[in-house]
């Protein structure tokens, strides 16, 4: 230290392991993240080496990006400068711009690793402006990186529905959608009986138990998530 006293000593180094990473020194709190230190080494019963100066620095963010990857999904990615003392990081702070007030507020707080985060269930065609910084364990913060802007992808396209009379008083519904990879499910609207029928991604559905000679009408919606539901399809009718 500045008074010439030894504040850290490690006796594990041998001639066969001439390299030492001072993890114990960093982990036991015997440092400040921006402190400067003088270090030297010696072998048993030998003179001390020359003294070297080492200055620790806080980890800082070097990049931050936001990308719309699927309907309702935003992928966030960031990099940190590995040259700092990572043990000093408390969290990654992501802030979102309120377009009405023109101010940023905390959107989410995350561990800085694994440097990648995906937000799902976001409204379609919505623009976000985000900025980020690191919070340190001593209560201070890194500088903000420049804000980034991302717009989620548009609402999914409405399916095209057909209805065909089937055997034994059934109606077979089938539909096509231009965004099949984004779908979570489809919802069939029975317009005759005023009820919804949830279904899977198969693109076809057979409705049974109908009254012979009666016409039934249907439409279908594609569901990506609760914030992204397509407009209803065309209305398709058939007689059982």
């Amino acid at each position: 230290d500045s008074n010439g006293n030894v504040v850290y000593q490690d006796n594990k180094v041998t001639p066969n392991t001439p390299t030492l990473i001072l993890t114990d020194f960093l982990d036991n709190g015997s440092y400040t993240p921006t402190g400067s230190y003088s270090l030297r080494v010696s072998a048993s019963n030998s003179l001390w080496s020359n003294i070297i100066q080492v200055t620790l620095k806080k980890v800082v963010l070097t990049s931050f990006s936001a990308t719309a990857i699927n309907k309702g999904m935003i992928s966030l990615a960031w990099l940190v400068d590995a040259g700092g003392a990572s043990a000093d990081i408390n969290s990654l702070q992501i802030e979102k711009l309120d377009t009405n007030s023109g101010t940023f507020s905390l959107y989410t707080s995350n561990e800085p690793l694994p440097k990648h985060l995906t937000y799902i269930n976001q409204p379609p065609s919505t623009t976000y402006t985000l900025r980020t910084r690191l919070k340190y364990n001593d209560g201070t913060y890194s500088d903000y990186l420049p804000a980034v802007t991302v717009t989620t992808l548009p609402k999914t396209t409405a399916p095209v529905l057909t209805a065909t009379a089937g055997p034994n008083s059934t109606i077979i519904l089938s539909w096509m959608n231009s965004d099949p990879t984004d779908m979570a499910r489809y919802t069939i609207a029975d317009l005759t009986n005023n009820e919804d029928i949830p279904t899977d991604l198969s693109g076809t559905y057979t409705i049974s138990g109908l009254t012979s000679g009666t016409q039934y009408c249907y439409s279908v919606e594609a569901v990506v998530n609760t914030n992204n539901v397509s407009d209803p399809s065309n209305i398709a009718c058939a007689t059982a």
Side-chain angles (χ1 to χ4, degrees), residues 162-167 170-174 205-207 210 218 236-240:
T162 60
T164 306
T170 61
I171 291 178
I172 301 170
L173 302 177
S174 59
Y205 190 85
T206 299
I207 300 176
L210 302 177
Y218 304 90
C237 301
T239 299

Side-chain angles (χ1 to χ4, degrees), residues 35-57:
S36 294
Y37 300 90
S38 299
L39 304 174
R40 66 180 183 178
V41 297
S42 71
S44 178
N45 300 319
S46 73
L47 297 177
W48 285 99
S49 71
N50 60 302
I51 297 174
I52 61 171
Q53 302 291 326
V54 177
T55 299
L56 296 178
K57 62 178 181 178

Side-chain angles (χ1 to χ4, degrees), residues 64 93-108 127-133 144-150:
F64 177 64
Q93 309 276 303
I94 299 174
E95 298 179 359
K96 182 175 68 171
L97 176 66
D98 184 330
T99 54
N100 294 321
S101 65
T103 60
F104 283 89
S105 60
L106 184 64
Y107 187 41
T108 185
T127 298
Y128 295 89
T129 299
L130 305 169
R131 68 180 185 182
T132 186
R133 63 179 177 175
Y144 287 108
L145 288 183
V148 298
T149 299
V150 60

Side-chain angles (χ1 to χ4, degrees), residues 15-76:
N16 294 325
T17 57
T19 301
L20 174 67
I21 300 175
L22 301 182
T23 55
D24 293 337
F25 175 56
L26 298 178
D27 292 342
N28 67 13
S30 302
Y31 77 104
T32 58
T34 55
S36 294
Y37 300 90
S38 299
L39 304 174
R40 66 180 183 178
V41 297
S42 71
S44 178
N45 300 319
S46 73
L47 297 177
W48 285 99
S49 71
N50 60 302
I51 297 174
I52 61 171
Q53 302 291 326
V54 177
T55 299
L56 296 178
K57 62 178 181 178
K58 290 184 176 180
V59 169
V60 295
L61 287 165
T62 58
S63 68
F64 177 64
S65 64
T67 307
I69 55 174
N70 281 313
K71 290 179 171 61
M73 300 180 69
I74 297 174
S75 175
L76 305 178

Side-chain angles (χ1 to χ4, degrees), residues 76-88:
L76 305 178
W78 55 89
L79 292 175
V80 297
D81 176 11
S86 59
D88 193 56

